[in-house]
Amino acid sequence: MMQFLKPERSVSGLILVSLICLPYSIYLGLAGLVIFMGLMLYRYGSDFGQLLWQQGFVLLGAAMALNVIWASFHGEALLQLTNFLPYFGLFAACSIFLRRAAAPVEVLERWAIGLVLATIPINLWAGVEYWLRSPAMMARLIERDRWRNFYQLYYGHRAYAVFHHPNVMACFLVMVFGVALGVVLYRLNRAGGQAGDQSVDKAGNALARPQRVQPVQREVLEWLGLIAAMGLILAG
């Protein structure tokens, strides 16, 4: 029996690639997450079900299924149910994987940074789109054939980039903004709380020197904060 279906780094990379693809190709990203859930379910099926039961997701799913029976519009209620239930399985799969990872916090940090960096093209394009959808630019370009399709969907002076509606982009970027802030705060807290090399004084007492954030790390954190702030502005 295999110790693990895939090496830990490969499984972590599968999730990372799926998260990066999610805003650009939702079906490709979801396919990667479904494969990940299938791997966890195949290898740790008993743990999978036990975790869902202990966390109350089984009872919650059953209650939601009963709500479909009594709903006025059964089709719409069933659609909403299928939107929620897969995320219960994704939560269980991530929990099982992280419990067995050698460094779970570092894995989460890698996923978070990848998701934040994946929004750079979205933010850049949304900024250009916001400018192109300004009243002045729209008045100049809307009559041209090559721009007519661009202005076919109009939600006011708002950008939506790769999404189908500005509100969807706003929800996504606000979520990424919270993830980016979490990464920045975690990095700063870890750098300020860790101890550096220890030295010993004449009395034999250990002297700990706190580790500082390196210039390169500080620059990365500043860029993450800038990307997050830009996303929050464009979300409006």
Side-chain angles (χ1 to χ4, degrees):
M1 191 70 177
M2 292 179 294
Q3 295 296 326
F4 201 77
L5 288 175
K6 293 284 185 179
E8 179 183 324
R9 186 175 296 273
S10 299
V11 178
S12 177
L14 172 64
I15 303 175
L16 178 61
V17 172
S18 300
L19 291 176
I20 293 174
C21 293
L22 201 57
Y24 302 100
S25 178
I26 185 171
Y27 295 110
L28 184 60
L30 289 177
L33 296 177
V34 169
I35 293 174
F36 165 68
M37 286 191 292
L39 292 174
M40 295 295 103
L41 184 61
Y42 175 80
R43 180 63 178 88
Y44 306 107
S46 59
D47 295 341
F48 205 93
Q50 185 177 6
L51 190 147
L52 290 176
W53 175 259
Q54 291 177 347
Q55 298 296 326
F57 288 111
V58 174
L59 296 178
L60 180 59
M64 294 173 66
L66 290 175
N67 186 54
V68 174
I69 299 176
W70 295 320
S72 300
F73 301 96
H74 297 285
E76 184 177 351
L78 182 61
L79 178 62
Q80 295 298 326
L81 180 64
T82 57
N83 288 334
F84 279 98
L85 292 183
Y87 291 99
F88 297 168
L90 181 61
F91 169 81
C94 290
S95 300
I96 293 172
F97 175 75
L98 292 173
R99 288 178 182 180
R100 288 164 172 78
V105 178
E106 284 72 14
V107 172
L108 283 174
E109 182 185 15
R110 194 179 308 117
W111 294 348
I113 292 177
L115 182 61
V116 173
L117 295 181
T119 62
I120 293 178
I122 295 177
N123 289 328
L124 293 178
W125 170 242
V128 175
E129 184 183 0
Y130 187 81
W131 172 65
L132 291 174
R133 292 187 182 279
S134 63
M137 291 300 300
M138 184 175 177
R140 293 175 56 184
L141 300 176
I142 194 171
E143 297 299 331
R144 302 182 183 181
D145 294 337
R146 66 178 64 180
W147 292 98
R148 192 163 298 168
N149 291 333
F150 178 78
Y151 292 106
Q152 187 174 4
L153 291 177
Y154 184 68
Y155 300 101
H157 191 188
R158 304 174 67 189
Y160 53 89
V162 297
F163 303 94
H164 298 291
H165 196 278
N167 291 345
V168 179
M169 189 186 76
C171 294
F172 178 77
L173 292 180
V174 168
M175 177 194 70
V176 174
F177 176 72
V179 172
L181 285 183
V183 173
V184 172
L185 293 176
Y186 168 72
R187 283 288 188 93
L188 292 175
N189 182 66
R190 184 178 64 178
Q194 286 180 341
D197 298 332
Q198 289 187 343
S199 59
V200 181
D201 59 10
K202 294 182 180 180
N205 299 320
L207 299 176
R209 291 177 297 177
Q211 214 176 36
R212 295 181 179 272
V213 180
Q214 299 299 324
V216 176
Q217 294 178 346
R218 184 177 296 277
E219 184 177 351
V220 172
L221 293 178
E222 291 174 353
W223 273 105
L224 283 176
L226 179 62
I227 294 171
M230 183 178 179
L232 182 62
I233 293 173
L234 292 175

